Structures are given as C-alpha cells and as structure tokens.
Amino acid sequence: MFTPAQIDHYNREGYVVYPDFISGDDLTALKSEIDRVSEGNTKANHDAARMEMEPNQGPDGTLVRRIYEPCTFYQPFRDFSESTALLDCVEQLFGPNLLFHYSKINMKPQNIGSIVEWHQDLSYYPLTNRDSVSILFYLDDTSEENGCLKVIPRRHTEALMSHSTEGFFRGKVTEEVDDSEAVLLEGTGGTAIFMSAMTPHASAINSSDRPRKTLILSYRAADAFPIHCGVMSDKVEAHSRLVRGERASQARFTMTDFPIPRYEDEVASLYDLQERSRKSA
C-alpha cells in the first residue's frame, strides 16, 4: 500500500518510486519466465506477434527488444498483474473499479538497448479522462548507464504536448522539450515506478555491459473509456480487462478537448514509430 506521502508525491509530481515492490523470489520467477519466452528466437526466426527483436544485429542474433502483452500470453505475468498488493496501490490512485489496459517488457540488452524519445503515454490512446497509470518494474538494477527512466515532473496536469508533424502522429514529442528539470529514476531490481500517463518520459540507449529489463503494466479507472482512433485502438483495447470492482455504465469526461493521433500507417510499437520518424526527418 502507498503511504499518504507517496500518494501526494504521485499527484503533485506525476510519478512516485516504490523501492523493493517485487520480492527476491518473485523477481527471479519473472526473469526466468522471460528467459523461457525468449529462448530460441532470432532476428530471422521469431513470432512477430509476440516479440520484437533488436534491429542492429545479424539474422542469427538473439537479442530481444520487446515482448508484447506478457500479461495476456504468459500466466506468471497475468497472475502478477492481478495480485492484491499491486491492485491495492492502483485503487488508492483511482478508486475501486479498475481496468487492466496493456503490458509489455522492454529488454534493453547490454551495449545496444534502444533509445526511447520523449513522449506521453496518453498520446497513443486517448481516453475520456486522465485516470491512467503506467507502472514500470525494474527487473534488473537500473542506472543512467544502462538506460534508466527519466521524467519531467509536474507536467502531467498541463495540456498534452505535440506528438505530430505534417498531420501525422510520430509517437514522440515534436515540439521543443525543456528537460532542464528532468529527473533520472535509478533503482535496484524490484523497484516500481508509478507514473501518470500524462508524464513526459524517455530513456537513453543502454551503453553498459549490463541488461535492463523492465516490465510495464498500464491500468485505468473503469470510467476512463477509450476514444476510438482506428485499428491502433483496437490492438490495444483487445487486451484490456476488468481486474477489480465493476464496469462503468457511464464515461467520465474531464477534458474539453484532446489531440487524436492520426497514424500514417500501421506500426508494430513505439520503437518502430519513433524510428520511422527519425528516418523521415
């Protein structure tokens, strides 16, 4: 459970760090499941519906960049996503009626793990209100050298920053970013970071010889309904499910307007979209 001080920090700063959220045995079990899922996959031969490989390797390379929707496809992660301790914390933020939204694992292998540019998660999936949280669980000890998360505090209550150019959604902030107040969030394996879906965040390439695996889960209040944006909305919403309380019979609206992402074409992931944007620029 959060302390009152932690809840105040989340509401004021747009994030809160929860050290040692995952215990040693549970941490080992989740990492073992990642090893099992990753085993035997190469850049040339893998299930593209369930994982994405690092692009800068040969066809026989085995470095995985992302595992899609682990809480849908793999039971240990699904069990974790429905654990009492985790849902108790989310309930403290949004109340008793909660939806699981999506999940992913960003791998960031040593010496190659991909950069993630500044973005706000809610830009990808507009909702009728802002009660959406992204939770990052460091599965390895994580520092600036191996690509820890960095955030811009207190930006989550303002209007969404621009993520588009030439009328198309680019998956990253496309206006000038003042990161002078950015905070690096380092932590040991098992650390959890609860972050508002409106908080700008990014991470650098993994320049170290240590991996940086991060499990990312998203939850939202049950009365935060998706604003449909075409096929990309369908892809995300396919994995949402009620995890506590009751489904809402009415949507709650807290914004008078919100930018709708217009995709130039279908993309596999944030990495894919941001890479396309860099190449076109």
Side-chain angles (χ1 to χ4, degrees), residues 254-275:
T254 60
M255 297 174 285
T256 57
D257 56 79
F258 196 86
I260 300 301
R262 180 187 175 200
Y263 288 87
E264 200 163 9
D265 48 32
E266 189 171 346
V267 296
S269 71
L270 170 151
Y271 291 116
D272 183 23
L273 185 55
Q274 290 190 354
E275 282 177 1

Side-chain angles (χ1 to χ4, degrees), residues 7-73:
I7 295 174
D8 287 345
H9 192 282
Y10 176 88
N11 290 330
R12 182 182 67 253
E13 304 294 320
Y15 74 94
V16 67
V17 178
Y18 197 130
D20 301 319
F21 189 93
I22 307 177
S23 69
D25 288 344
D26 291 337
L27 189 61
T28 299
L30 293 178
K31 293 173 73 170
S32 295
E33 181 68 1
I34 291 175
D35 291 341
R36 185 192 70 78
V37 170
S38 302
E39 186 177 7
N41 292 282
T42 66
K43 184 180 177 184
N45 185 19
H46 65 279
D47 184 351
R50 296 202 177 188
M51 68 177 55
E52 181 178 345
M53 306 300 289
E54 284 286 350
N56 298 322
Q57 59 180 326
D60 294 330
T62 60
L63 296 178
V64 178
R65 178 156 72 175
R66 171 173 285 181
I67 296 174
Y68 302 139
E69 299 299 341
C71 297
T72 294
F73 298 126

Side-chain angles (χ1 to χ4, degrees), residues 31 67 124 152 178:
K31 293 173 73 170
I67 296 174
Y124 281 80
I152 301 178
D178 178 7

Side-chain angles (χ1 to χ4, degrees), residues 83-189:
S83 61
T84 299
L86 179 52
L87 295 183
D88 283 348
C89 286
V90 181
E91 180 173 339
Q92 286 179 280
L93 301 178
F94 301 147
N97 303 315
L98 303 173
L99 292 176
F100 171 87
H101 196 176
Y102 64 83
S103 62
K104 55 195 173 186
I105 301 170
N106 289 347
M107 300 289 276
K108 274 199 189 288
Q110 55 269 35
N111 300 311
I112 195 173
S114 297
I115 189 174
V116 175
E117 300 189 52
W118 289 108
H119 67 285
Q120 294 163 284
D121 287 346
L122 206 62
S123 69
Y124 281 80
Y125 48 87
L127 301 171
T128 59
N129 63 66
R130 298 185 178 197
D131 279 358
S132 172
V133 62
S134 301
I135 311 171
L136 291 80
F137 299 92
Y138 287 157
L139 303 183
D140 298 303
D141 292 348
T142 302
S143 64
E144 182 177 6
E145 289 71 26
N146 66 344
C148 71
L149 183 73
K150 53 184 178 180
V151 302
I152 301 178
R154 300 175 297 281
R155 187 63 179 71
H156 61 298
T157 59
E158 301 180 22
L160 187 79
M161 303 172 76
S162 175
H163 288 65
S164 296
T165 58
E166 301 176 339
F168 291 110
F169 182 63
R170 304 304 183 187
K172 64 178 184 178
V173 176
T174 54
E175 62 183 84
E176 185 176 351
V177 177
D178 178 7
D179 60 359
S180 60
E181 295 186 354
V183 178
L184 288 168
L185 301 181
E186 299 180 315
T188 56

